[in-house]
Amino acid sequence: MIVMWAAIGVMGLMTVLWLFSIYYKNVSIVDNFWGIGFIVVTIIYCLQCEVLFTRVKLMLLLVILWGLRLSIYLMYRNYGKGEDYRYREFRQHYGPKRYWWFSFFQVFMLQGGLILIVSLPLLGVTLNTTSNALNIFDYLGILVWLVGFIFETVGDFQLAVFKRKPVNKGKLLTSGLWRYTRHPNYFGDTAVWWGFGLLAIASGAYWYSIGSLVMTYLIIKISGVAMLERSLSEVKPGYEEYVRTTSTFFPWFPKQST
């Protein structure tokens, strides 16, 4: 029952966004609400609890902080830029006369389904927490979440400041956190979700942490690191040297330039 209500909530949100995308002819708006979708399902999970134990309250707070920050940042970053090139390519491929309805399944329902799968650790916490007691995995999960949140937030901030300066147009950001990993924001996002996975483990919901694995795979192999690496290597001068000296994902000290 709890999963059914969560599915209704997130699919309802995606349907509304789809209708807006038809009106504005911009499928990209779905990305701005990725974080909001997790807030919606987490609130629905929590509403099904008779008692909100400490771990559940903590999880809800962390999800709201992460989801709001991500959505606000993406709205700021994408404002006035039009539809993302990925969706423009899909629109051209399928044709404007049928992409309006095809996007409902290919983009909006797909993202809604992914939210339900990735949010499994959050579901596990609400279903399996039965007391206010916290254990070592809770504190470890909070620490990992905090590291991830800092990397994601600071990495996005440094990139936004760098891009705001006209002199940096076409250049690579290789300082700050970007000196130690080519994708501090993606590393941070992954760490955030392993923080949630550890909270699920702390509650005894071990297999629910598979949602963290799914998020990691999506970020590294599908829509994050792999896709960005392909595009940057084609358009950014000096990216090959950056690849040789800087860790791909996990933060580490840079190698000596050749």
Side-chain angles (χ1 to χ4, degrees):
M1 183 65 70
I2 185 173
V3 175
M4 182 192 73
W5 285 115
I8 291 173
V10 74
M11 294 309 179
L13 171 65
M14 290 298 159
T15 301
V16 171
L17 292 175
W18 172 66
L19 293 173
F20 273 101
S21 78
I22 296 174
Y23 180 79
Y24 289 106
K25 295 182 174 60
N26 186 349
V27 174
S28 297
I29 62 174
V30 70
D31 296 335
N32 298 340
F33 289 86
W34 174 251
I36 299 295
F38 287 98
I39 296 176
V40 169
V41 295
T42 306
I43 290 175
I44 293 173
Y45 293 155
C46 292
L47 288 175
Q48 308 301 310
C49 297
E50 294 183 2
V51 179
L52 288 180
F53 294 108
T54 301
R55 181 182 297 116
V56 177
K57 292 178 182 177
L58 179 64
M59 176 200 72
L60 177 60
L61 174 63
L62 297 182
V63 171
I64 290 174
L65 286 174
W66 171 80
L68 283 179
R69 188 216 71 86
L70 179 61
S71 286
I72 291 171
Y73 169 72
L74 290 177
M75 289 176 188
Y76 161 77
R77 189 189 70 179
N78 297 332
Y79 180 75
K81 292 186 177 180
E83 192 171 51
D84 186 271
Y85 76 95
R86 297 168 298 169
Y87 302 120
R88 289 200 305 269
E89 290 178 356
F90 285 134
R91 190 179 295 278
Q92 292 174 357
H93 177 74
Y94 293 104
K97 290 185 177 180
R98 64 172 179 159
Y99 189 63
W100 69 271
W101 63 263
F102 193 79
S103 65
F104 177 73
F105 301 99
Q106 184 211 32
V107 178
F108 293 89
M109 291 298 102
L110 175 61
Q111 288 211 18
L114 288 174
I115 287 173
L116 291 173
I117 294 172
V118 172
S119 68
L120 281 173
L122 314 177
L123 175 62
V125 170
T126 55
L127 291 178
N128 287 268
T129 300
T130 56
S131 74
N132 284 317
L134 300 178
N135 58 50
I136 185 63
F137 288 106
D138 288 300
Y139 298 112
L140 184 58
I142 295 169
L143 178 61
V144 171
W145 183 93
L146 184 60
V147 169
F149 190 75
I150 291 172
F151 262 83
E152 189 174 11
T153 303
V154 174
D156 283 340
F157 176 76
Q158 290 175 341
L159 184 60
V161 171
F162 181 82
K163 286 185 173 182
R164 200 180 302 150
K165 299 177 181 179
V167 69
N168 292 327
K169 186 175 181 179
K171 294 182 179 179
L172 281 170
L173 172 58
T174 58
S175 59
L177 294 180
W178 300 82
R179 182 170 180 258
Y180 303 99
T181 166
R182 302 201 295 274
H183 304 281
N185 44 0
Y186 287 139
F187 166 77
D189 206 17
T190 303
V192 161
W193 278 94
W194 277 108
F196 291 135
L198 286 167
L199 291 181
I201 291 172
S203 71
Y206 304 106
W207 78 266
Y208 285 84
S209 60
I210 194 173
S212 303
L213 275 174
V214 172
M215 179 64 102
T216 302
Y217 181 78
L218 290 173
I219 288 174
I220 295 178
K221 295 295 185 180
I222 305 298
S223 62
V225 173
M227 180 182 292
L228 193 58
E229 288 277 304
R230 287 194 298 269
S231 63
L232 289 177
S233 62
E234 296 174 358
V235 300
K236 290 289 186 181
Y239 197 73
E240 291 184 0
E241 178 66 17
Y242 186 47
V243 168
R244 283 194 292 268
T245 59
T246 310
S247 172
T248 304
F249 187 71
F250 292 101
W252 195 246
F253 297 102
K255 300 175 184 177
Q256 187 173 2
S257 175
T258 56

